[in-house]
Amino acid sequence: MSETYYEFGTPAERWDRAQMFFDSKEYLTAARILRGLVEEAPEQLAARLLLARAYYHSARLGPAETELRTVLEQNPSEYYARLMLGRTLERQGRAAEAAPHLRMAAVMNGD
């Protein structure tokens, strides 16, 4: 089985590559790389959070919501995941469900 560009390299190299694609607004490519990293190390919240952001920016809101909820299950005090979950729910037209997450994020951030 040959490795593709997306799976090639150490986790650190793939993380750098995913960040490069994310920064270049190539969100689907970043997500492709990040999915592999998340599968290999599901406890690594940074990769999962960046994956959620890539999904959000590419309008894949269902997968973004799933990843954000997983982050919050592992770390309920993750402010940015809480904020993003609220915004993701709002973007799906679920304002009532988003409101508690956005309020909590505001409190956590001191707003």
Side-chain angles (χ1 to χ4, degrees):
M1 178 172 151
S2 65
E3 292 181 304
T4 68
Y5 175 72
Y6 304 104
E7 292 88 23
F8 181 77
T10 67
E13 291 168 336
R14 288 181 285 141
W15 170 253
D16 289 343
R17 190 175 307 125
Q19 287 184 308
M20 179 194 67
F21 279 111
F22 185 90
D23 292 343
S24 299
K25 298 183 180 181
E26 294 287 336
Y27 302 118
L28 292 177
T29 303
R32 183 172 176 182
I33 297 166
L34 290 162
R35 274 194 307 268
L37 290 171
V38 167
E39 287 173 11
E40 289 173 24
E43 72 285 353
Q44 294 294 321
L45 295 184
R48 192 176 292 276
L49 188 55
L50 189 58
L51 176 59
R53 291 176 63 201
Y55 283 147
Y56 177 86
H57 287 296
S58 61
R60 298 192 62 215
L61 302 177
E65 179 183 350
T66 299
E67 295 302 331
L68 291 165
R69 289 189 186 278
T70 301
V71 168
L72 290 170
E73 285 173 14
Q74 293 180 26
N75 184 358
S77 63
E78 175 58 56
Y79 151 77
Y80 193 68
R82 184 77 55 190
L83 176 65
M84 278 196 61
L85 178 58
R87 289 183 178 168
T88 299
L89 293 169
E90 274 185 330
R91 203 167 159 193
Q92 294 179 71
R94 297 159 59 190
E97 196 176 339
H101 295 287
L102 294 172
R103 280 193 303 270
M104 189 177 297
V107 168
M108 293 167 83
N109 195 38
D111 293 342

